[in-house]
Amino acid sequence: MASLVPPPGRSEVLSLFRSLLRTSRKFADYNIREYAKRRTIDAFRHNKELSDPTVIAAAFSEGKTQLEVATRQAVVYSLYAPKVKSVMEIV
Amino acid sequence: MAARMALLKHLRVSVVRFAPQNPNFNTPFSSLGNLLQRRRFSDEVRGSFLDKSEVTDRVVTVVKNFQKVDPSKVTPNAHFQNDLGLDSLDTVEVVMALEEEFGFEIPDNEADKINSINLAVDFIASHPQAK
């Protein structure tokens, strides 16, 4: 399946990476915050060696979708933020 | 974004409230002028510059704590990619960690340029909002 979407440049990928990390910091719950951060880093590492432009474009658009999800969920979860901090944040 | 705007708005208000009074300001528009004056010169907006050696120490500590870095290789002149063996993703992570340490946000175009401890120190020491 040929994609008409040009593959993203290096700076766009890094910008998406940074945006995902910034968004992950906004989660009120420690576990979700850490998960989102870890998941972002792992996914970018995992896809580091991609070379096929179509695959890169697909991964990039998947990342953008996840960024939208994370942005929305950070707001939704903030309405139901945990009332006590995780023990991991206290020590 | 809405929450962020609400937060920023809230911060602005508190800046005006805590700003020092300026007794010498007497023009027909003094209330507005005062407001602007106090906003512009309030410590919270202007911030204060951190001492460069302190910034260097804290940056070095943050980089040393980064899990992929060999702490013995971290010097104030180290280059992230050449000396510490970090790739572009690691560099983004380090810069994000520096943001957390110094409590301010580094814009993307500035963050892209930071690729060594020296550059990070220069940028943070010249940024009034770093704390």
Side-chain angles (χ1 to χ4, degrees), chain B residues 7-19 42 44:
Chain B
L7 183 68
L8 286 176
K9 219 167 165 184
H10 172 74
L11 287 175
R12 289 258 166 91
V13 171
S14 65
V15 164
V16 173
R17 199 188 310 138
F18 296 124
S42 74
E44 214 162 317

Side-chain angles (χ1 to χ4, degrees), chain B residues 31-101:
Chain B
S31 65
L32 177 65
N34 239 338
L35 184 74
L36 292 174
Q37 181 99 348
R38 280 189 280 157
R39 270 194 180 186
R40 200 180 312 143
F41 291 110
S42 74
D43 281 347
E44 214 162 317
V45 169
R46 190 189 55 199
S48 55
F49 296 100
L50 293 171
D51 182 48
K52 206 160 179 176
S53 62
E54 184 206 330
V55 174
T56 311
D57 287 347
R58 284 166 66 190
V59 170
V60 167
T61 311
V62 168
V63 177
K64 275 185 180 169
N65 286 334
F66 191 67
Q67 53 184 1
K68 281 177 202 153
V69 166
D70 176 359
S72 63
K73 284 190 191 160
V74 180
T75 65
N77 296 314
H79 187 278
F80 291 153
Q81 285 168 25
N82 301 343
D83 300 323
L84 303 175
L86 299 176
D87 63 18
S88 55
L89 294 176
D90 295 322
T91 305
V92 171
E93 279 184 60
V94 169
V95 174
M96 299 287 289
L98 291 174
E99 284 189 357
E100 277 169 33
E101 166 68 21

Side-chain angles (χ1 to χ4, degrees), chain A residues 5 15 19 22 24 26 33 39 43 47-48 53-55 57-58 64 66 68 72-73 79 88-89:
Chain A
V5 186
S15 166
S19 302
R22 280 198 204 291
S24 69
K26 292 190 186 132
R33 196 163 63 236
R39 181 71 183 82
N47 288 337
K48 206 175 78 165
T54 319
V55 180
K64 282 210 292 199
Q66 291 302 320
E68 283 170 28
R72 186 175 64 235
Q73 289 310 113
L79 302 174
M88 296 297 286
E89 293 173 279

Side-chain angles (χ1 to χ4, degrees), chain A residues 29-47:
Chain A
D29 186 311
Y30 171 86
N31 289 304
I32 301 174
R33 196 163 63 236
E34 290 301 309
Y35 169 74
K37 184 182 173 196
R38 194 169 61 236
R39 181 71 183 82
T40 301
I41 295 170
D42 288 351
F44 276 79
R45 292 255 158 256
H46 181 253
N47 288 337

